[in-house]
Amino acid sequence: MRIILFLFTMVFFLSCYAAEDIYHFSSTEDQTRFAMLTSELRCLVCQNQNIAESNAPLAGDLRQQIFQQIQTGHSNQEIVDFLVDRYGNFILYRPPFNAGTIGLWFLPFILLFSGISYLVYYIRKKR
Amino acid sequence: MLPELGNFAIILALFFAIVQIAGPFVRVSGLQYTAVFSQFFFLAFAMLCLIFCFINNDVTVLFVRDHSHELLPLIYRIGASWGGHEGSLLLWCLILSGWTAFFLIFSLMKKNIPNELLTKIIMVLGYVSTGFILFLFSTSNPFKRDFPTEPISGNDLTPILQDPGLIFHPPMLYLGYVGFAIAFAFAVAVLLEGRLEKNWAHACRPWVIMPWSFLSCGIVLGSWWAYRELGWGGWWFWDPVENASLLPWLAATGLLHSLIVCEKREAFKGWTLMLAIITFALCFLGTFLVRSGVIVSVHAFANDPDRGVYLLGFMAIVIGSALVCYLLRIKHFYQPPKFQLFSRETFLLLNSVVLISAVATIVIGTLYPIVLEALNLEKISVGEPYFNTVFVPIMLPALFFMGLAPHVSWGQQTVITLWKKMRWTLFFSLLITALFPIVTGFEFHVLTSLGIFLGIWIIFATLQLFFQMKNKSILPVSAMMIAHIGIAILVLGMTLNKSYSVERQVKMLPGESVNLAGYQFTLNNIHEMNGPNYQSIAALFNVQNNRGKEFSVTSEQRIYLSHNQAMSKAGILVNMWRDLYLALGTSFSDGAWSVRIYYKPFVRWIWCGGFMLLLGGFLSLITFLQKKGERHEAI
Amino acid sequence: MRLFKLIRVGLPMMIFLGVMLLLWRGLTLHPAQIPSPLINKPAPQYRLPNLLNKKMMTERDLIGHVTLLNVWASWCEACAEEQSTLVAISQNKNFQIIGLDYKDNLADAKKWLQQYGNPYEVIAVDQTGNSAIDWGVYGTPETFVIDKKGIIRYKYIGPISMEVWEDTLRPVIEKLS
């Protein structure tokens, strides 16, 4: 019961001592967008971190870039396109769906499906 | 002197590893066994030599020079001996020979494996061991020396490794990883023999369960380490190296269950053998990925292409020959299924199919960028969003069946009786899932509810098993129950943590405060601190919960003297329900600091679930040791 | 039936061989180098001050010359490594070398040029790093080869040594001029 009501009842006290958010958004929706976008983009400097988490200066610049674009009303797709135009699909942790990545997206499910089908076939054939 | 002794010990170990292979061909009694123990002795000796080189900070040894420093605390010097490629490979070899020796003693004492088969198993292990020791000696010798003309100091251990995690995580992980060599050798030996002893599966089981427990624990320890050390409170990143450790775990989980059917029902023999080979092949693949440089990872060792070529060739020989054995001999093991479609056997087999699909998903995700690059197509990244969309849906049904399968009878079962047996459990699991957001005030999400439902369903269904046992002995199933509940707790922890974590990134001056998730965080002061080999800027925070209780926590930004690189050391307040995680970032010109504050609910449940897997594994071992003549009753 | 059996038994071997081949191929690839999507596209627009005389420069300065655009910074250790090569090849008048000073302290940058030499025709200063984002820069030093029409033709990541110059960059430039 201790955990009750902690969350989503966040009240930001606006006392004079309150620290300011580094990326201050006017709506929680924009804030979620920012969190989502930065976490799904790969940092190109230390290549196994996302932009949200990386301490590399470039990641900071890109966070700032994304922040500004959200503030100026760009859509997620526009922001992603902006980055892909400059850095290529490598920057996307969610690979785009295209001719080259069909195998990536479908093969696992095809394997699961054929595995289960074979299993059923195997058990039933010699009954 | 010590490095030369260590080097010599490695050569002797290599010699004994070769003798170990010769076992079945040279009929000298006890020769092979002596070789096993001598090999272990000499590798242990070599490891000790390396550790002493580190303790003495002998910079003439290149490996020590690259990973140690005169200021490095003693405990990390010991850990540093496996903190790089060469040393960790020595640890690999040592653990392999340790497992072999342990297996040999155990089998000789229990006399549950016929001599002929035992000799063959040891021989196969000899092959693996020879290959690795040769690899160690020829391409990655940790004792390679170089005498500098002027005094120099070492390059020091990477700051990120200077953490208690380094002491426990790699040995634990390797105990798991390498241990699967025994199950692999078992499978190959059985294939070579061409027939299956009746109690084969029973004799093999502890050699899957023990490494599996260690690997579970090792993975969780690694996750705990990354959580504390990397500074943003994540616990799983789908990094290729993490995937490399998850792959054998998934396959071994399949193997574990398949062995049960093999033992109790004498079915799936061929499939079980295949799984044993796959599991070890994945260990090999992991070793290759980490040490060859084909992938980019935060955890990968510095690499050189020769090592990749050697490992790949060796993997081709070992796994390739095992597969050839499989191809040639598998027809001797084929048996038509003797069970209905709706039976526990089917569910266990389904478990294998799902787990192997999961393995395939991760392999595809990890290797696909290489495929595209090899074809000169575009360069892509496969990360967390991919695995969340593909891997998670594949695993969800497996979790549901995890609660269900133990209630399904062997041989056959009707849907009606199962429904009658499980309907209340299902109902209460659904009820609690539905009540959860209402009672706790957490926001409702469909996927979160699904995760909660699966966790609660597994717990309830497993407990139901316990209450329906009546007069039967509890011990044999307790291991399974604890492991299954462990998974449930893991699932609950992961789901709730993923769904309800919140964070704020703020700019703070001393005296300022911030509210997050019902806590008030105040930055008290910023002061400087000195560690043994680093200087740090420490921020002292006061945290107050909404009932006025206060805690204090320090978060640091460390600069290691030898690396001149800042590293964030997060301050974490822990309890069972949530972690509060504070990471100090960079400073601003006005004296303010950027601070990331995270509220991470249920994160302890993840580690907790992981340790339950270890516990379950050990319980299962105890059961195994207790059961001597009882086994046939069980069947 | 036969086919099924064949698949069941032979599949693991086939998958294994496939993965082995792939990994073998993988050993010769460079996973950390990311190809630029800007190749064969016009150079991005920019408007940056010259380090030495504060005059504004734009992408139109690229037109009419074959250009080697080198992204560097005084804090970048690998940049110092390649400077001697750049100075040496700047004698060649078939192309111009333009510097892009990336997120740097101007005083440090000037001192650095005195220390290591200045091979650049002009140096554009990008203190915010925004222009570098347009160029898709992710680590210094990076070098772009741009043709006379202002189209990016090649990108080299990492310090340029004499070998790199002779083996990779020089042929590209000669083809363009």
Side-chain angles (χ1 to χ4, degrees):
Chain A
M1 298 297 276
R2 259 186 264 167
I3 47 166
I4 295 177
L5 297 175
F6 275 8
L7 224 38
F8 301 103
T9 54
M10 292 180 291
V11 185
F12 300 121
F13 293 103
L14 280 169
S15 72
C16 52
Y17 293 124
E20 54 183 295
D21 284 280
I22 290 179
Y23 302 106
H24 185 77
F25 294 96
S26 49
S27 71
T28 47
E29 190 198 333
D30 281 352
Q31 192 159 9
T32 350
R33 277 176 60 200
F34 180 73
M36 200 271 285
L37 279 168
T38 50
S39 71
E40 291 200 352
L41 294 169
R42 184 171 190 170
C43 172
L44 293 101
V45 183
C46 21
Q47 293 185 357
N48 278 57
Q49 292 183 0
N50 60 36
I51 285 177
E53 291 155 355
S54 175
N55 287 324
L58 178 66
D61 290 351
L62 290 177
R63 279 198 295 268
Q64 192 61 40
Q65 185 72 244
I66 294 167
F67 172 67
Q68 280 165 2
Q69 296 207 3
I70 288 180
Q71 295 295 66
T72 49
H74 288 80
S75 72
N76 286 0
Q77 193 57 47
E78 280 166 354
I79 298 172
V80 166
D81 288 345
F82 172 86
L83 291 165
V84 169
D85 283 346
R86 283 154 182 77
Y87 293 99
N89 282 331
F90 187 83
I91 201 169
L92 304 176
Y93 260 138
R94 181 192 296 278
F97 185 78
N98 60 29
T101 56
I102 283 182
L104 180 66
W105 286 104
F106 282 128
L107 216 51
F109 296 107
I110 294 173
L111 284 176
L112 181 68
F113 180 74
S114 37
I116 292 174
S117 321
Y118 179 72
L119 177 73
V120 173
Y121 163 81
Y122 165 78
I123 295 168
R124 304 199 80 160
K125 82 180 160 179
K126 287 263 167 86
R127 283 257 297 281
Chain B
M1 189 60 188
L2 268 180
E4 280 71 32
L5 277 178
N7 224 337
F8 189 57
I10 292 179
I11 297 173
L12 283 175
L14 178 62
F15 168 73
F16 283 113
I18 295 169
V19 174
Q20 195 180 319
I21 302 176
F25 311 111
V26 193
R27 301 266 162 205
V28 182
S29 70
L31 178 68
Q32 202 189 20
Y33 300 164
T34 317
V36 169
F37 297 122
S38 316
Q39 188 195 344
F40 174 64
F41 173 81
F42 285 113
L43 285 174
F45 182 78
M47 192 76 220
L48 279 178
C49 286
L50 187 63
I51 290 175
F52 276 107
C53 287
F54 267 96
I55 292 176
N56 299 334
N57 194 33
D58 183 354
V59 289
T60 61
V61 178
L62 284 172
F63 180 64
V64 177
R65 192 189 298 169
D66 283 344
H67 297 89
S68 183
H69 192 269
E70 63 264 22
L71 291 176
L72 190 67
L74 180 68
I75 186 79
Y76 296 138
R77 283 197 199 176
I78 295 173
S81 51
W82 52 76
H85 165 74
E86 290 87 347
S88 70
L89 193 66
L90 178 56
L91 185 69
W92 219 109
C93 297
L94 173 65
I95 288 178
L96 178 59
S97 70
W99 271 116
T100 312
F102 179 46
F103 167 70
L104 188 58
I105 295 176
F106 193 91
S107 311
L108 289 177
M109 273 167 50
K110 279 205 76 139
K111 297 194 173 63
N112 60 349
I113 300 169
N115 262 335
E116 196 89 331
L117 186 65
L118 187 60
T119 313
K120 284 209 176 75
I121 295 173
I122 300 289
M123 176 189 78
V124 176
L125 285 166
Y127 273 113
V128 177
S129 191
T130 307
F132 273 104
I133 298 177
L134 197 61
F135 179 48
L136 174 73
F137 185 72
S138 60
T139 69
S140 331
N141 195 327
F143 294 109
K144 202 185 254 173
R145 293 186 93 172
D146 166 59
F147 294 91
T149 43
E150 51 205 77
I152 49 166
S153 62
N155 292 338
D156 205 357
L157 191 63
T158 314
I160 224 160
L161 296 182
Q162 296 184 29
D163 180 271
L166 173 71
I167 315 297
F168 307 110
H169 166 65
M172 195 59 105
L173 196 69
Y174 285 3
L175 276 172
Y177 237 71
V178 180
F180 293 124
I182 295 183
F184 169 78
F186 233 117
V188 175
V190 163
L191 285 167
L192 286 173
E193 290 253 296
R195 70 197 152 83
L196 218 46
E197 299 289 333
K198 198 161 180 251
N199 67 351
W200 168 78
H202 182 71
C204 186
R205 228 167 98 193
W207 308 104
V208 177
I209 288 175
M210 279 188 285
W212 180 85
S213 317
F214 286 126
L215 185 60
S216 310
C217 185
I219 294 173
V220 170
L221 272 174
S223 152
W224 171 76
W225 183 11
Y227 171 77
R228 292 170 50 252
E229 199 72 349
L230 293 179
W232 60 85
W235 35 264
W236 191 261
F237 308 99
W238 293 106
D239 179 275
V241 171
E242 291 173 337
N243 294 349
S245 67
L246 187 60
L247 285 172
W249 186 86
L250 289 167
T253 310
L255 175 60
L256 204 64
H257 291 89
S258 176
L259 269 175
I260 297 172
V261 192
C262 224
E263 180 182 339
K264 300 227 157 109
R265 310 290 295 177
E266 297 202 34
F268 314 169
K269 288 177 191 162
W271 177 235
T272 307
L273 293 171
M274 188 72 233
L275 275 176
I277 297 173
I278 292 178
T279 304
F280 192 58
L282 291 169
C283 295
F284 238 121
L285 178 71
T287 308
F288 174 80
L289 289 179
V290 180
R291 293 167 195 272
S292 68
V294 288
I295 46 153
V296 183
S297 160
V298 261
H299 311 280
F301 294 108
N303 41 62
D304 100 48
D306 288 351
R307 289 175 190 162
V309 174
Y310 184 104
L311 269 180
L312 196 65
F314 183 44
M315 172 154 70
I317 293 169
V318 171
I319 306 298
S321 51
L323 286 175
V324 170
C325 283
Y326 179 84
L327 269 177
L328 296 177
R329 293 294 171 88
I330 192 61
K331 54 180 180 289
H332 302 299
F333 300 95
Y334 181 75
Q335 259 181 338
K338 288 178 294 197
F339 48 89
Q340 300 284 318
L341 187 59
F342 202 69
S343 63
R344 191 178 312 177
E345 286 91 331
T346 307
F347 275 101
L348 285 166
L349 203 46
L350 196 61
N351 160 73
S352 298
V353 172
V354 172
L355 285 168
I356 289 301
S357 305
V359 164
T361 308
I362 298 180
V363 171
I364 291 169
T366 312
L367 299 185
Y368 211 84
I370 306 180
V371 176
L372 287 189
E373 205 186 339
L375 295 174
N376 269 329
L377 293 165
E378 63 184 338
K379 202 146 181 169
I380 59 160
S381 303
V382 179
E384 186 175 333
Y386 169 80
F387 291 105
N388 284 348
T389 0
V390 179
F391 179 82
V392 174
I394 287 179
M395 288 304 281
L396 290 180
L399 291 174
F400 182 74
F401 293 142
M402 215 172 118
L404 197 63
H407 291 277
V408 181
S409 335
W410 295 107
Q412 70 175 79
Q413 168 88 38
T414 56
V415 182
I416 290 293
T417 45
L418 188 66
W419 165 249
K420 279 193 179 143
K421 199 169 160 190
M422 301 306 295
R423 60 187 167 180
W424 289 109
T425 314
L426 187 64
F427 174 73
F428 279 112
S429 313
L430 285 170
L431 185 70
I432 288 189
T433 311
L435 286 178
F436 182 84
I438 303 168
V439 175
T440 58
F442 281 127
E443 204 181 349
F444 172 81
H445 300 293
V446 179
L447 284 174
T448 312
S449 292
L450 188 59
I452 296 171
F453 163 70
L454 287 170
I456 290 173
W457 157 252
I458 295 171
I459 293 177
F460 278 8
T462 311
L463 288 177
Q464 188 189 352
L465 211 59
F466 173 73
F467 288 115
Q468 286 174 346
M469 296 259 303
K470 297 199 179 90
N471 47 15
K472 271 190 271 174
S473 149
I474 175 91
L475 195 63
V477 287
S478 62
M480 177 272 274
M481 295 201 318
I482 286 183
H484 279 199
I485 291 178
I487 294 281
I489 287 176
L490 203 72
V491 169
L492 284 174
M494 294 194 289
T495 311
L496 294 170
N497 183 277
K498 266 276 172 242
S499 312
Y500 301 123
S501 290
V502 283
E503 61 168 282
R504 277 185 84 180
Q505 285 182 52
V506 287
K507 185 179 158 186
M508 277 180 123
L509 274 163
E512 287 188 331
S513 46
V514 141
N515 288 69
L516 179 72
Y519 292 86
Q520 187 178 44
F521 302 82
T522 312
L523 175 59
N524 257 6
N525 61 58
I526 302 255
H527 55 278
E528 285 182 13
M529 288 202 325
N530 284 316
N533 57 344
Y534 60 86
Q535 291 176 329
S536 74
I537 294 161
L540 181 69
F541 291 91
N542 255 9
V543 183
Q544 198 175 31
N545 71 10
N546 53 6
R547 272 170 294 141
K549 205 169 163 206
E550 288 209 30
F551 315 88
S552 64
V553 63
T554 311
S555 176
E556 294 174 56
Q557 186 73 255
R558 288 183 182 172
I559 306 259
Y560 282 82
L561 301 175
S562 54
H563 272 82
N564 220 359
Q565 197 184 21
M567 217 197 82
S568 175
K569 189 86 186 165
I572 309 174
L573 280 173
V574 176
N575 78 20
M576 231 190 100
W577 305 106
R578 54 95 191 112
D579 276 15
L580 301 173
Y581 189 107
L582 294 102
L584 193 61
T586 47
S587 61
F588 291 90
S589 48
D590 60 350
W593 285 78
S594 82
V595 182
R596 292 184 183 200
I597 301 172
Y598 300 86
Y599 166 82
K600 304 227 149 243
F602 295 96
V603 74
R604 295 289 133 186
W605 290 35
I606 300 172
W607 325 143
C608 201
F611 286 107
M612 283 179 78
L613 297 184
L614 183 69
L615 189 68
F618 276 113
L619 263 177
S620 156
L621 193 66
I622 293 171
T623 322
F624 181 84
L625 290 175
Q626 275 197 344
K627 273 200 295 199
K628 276 190 183 133
E630 289 172 49
R631 195 178 59 77
H632 295 286
E633 281 169 49
I635 299 172
Chain C
M1 285 302 290
R2 257 270 172 72
L3 185 72
F4 251 24
K5 209 166 176 182
L6 206 69
I7 290 175
R8 199 188 64 226
V9 179
L11 196 62
M13 195 61 166
M14 273 147 57
I15 293 174
F16 175 71
L17 289 177
V19 171
M20 282 315 224
L21 264 176
L22 178 67
L23 293 177
W24 172 256
R25 183 76 182 80
L27 279 174
T28 57
L29 302 172
H30 304 282
Q33 285 192 2
I34 307 154
S36 172
L38 295 169
I39 305 295
N40 295 332
K41 300 231 172 81
Q45 298 179 350
Y46 61 89
R47 214 182 130 72
L48 296 168
N50 187 324
L51 174 69
L52 301 173
N53 61 16
K54 302 279 180 294
K55 233 177 80 187
M56 278 297 167
M57 297 184 299
T58 67
E59 73 284 354
R60 260 166 291 165
D61 301 342
L62 301 171
I63 294 182
H65 308 271
V66 175
T67 309
L68 207 66
L69 186 125
N70 177 250
V71 187
W72 64 280
S74 66
W75 44 259
C76 151
E77 284 168 27
C79 299
E81 232 173 85
E82 66 171 3
Q83 207 64 2
S84 61
T85 316
L86 284 177
V87 171
I89 64 177
S90 66
Q91 307 301 325
N92 187 331
K93 294 298 170 200
N94 284 339
F95 58 94
Q96 58 171 358
I97 305 181
I98 292 187
L100 182 68
D101 189 15
Y102 175 59
K103 296 188 85 172
D104 213 346
N105 177 315
L106 298 187
D108 286 351
K110 285 175 190 161
K111 218 162 65 191
W112 190 87
L113 285 175
Q114 275 170 8
Q115 192 181 345
Y116 293 100
N118 182 356
Y120 306 112
E121 207 91 356
V122 284
I123 300 165
V125 180
D126 179 22
Q127 272 183 302
T128 58
N130 280 340
S131 197
I133 290 178
D134 288 338
W135 284 88
V137 169
Y138 68 93
T140 45
E142 288 184 12
T143 306
F144 295 84
V145 179
I146 302 149
D147 72 8
K148 286 179 182 163
K149 290 182 186 139
I151 312 272
I152 299 176
R153 292 300 181 188
Y154 193 78
K155 177 180 181 184
Y156 186 81
I157 297 158
I160 299 169
S161 61
M162 225 46 204
E163 287 87 63
V164 172
W165 163 248
E166 291 293 343
D167 298 343
T168 31
L169 290 177
R170 189 185 197 140
V172 176
I173 288 179
E174 275 171 3
K175 214 159 63 183
L176 294 175
S177 48

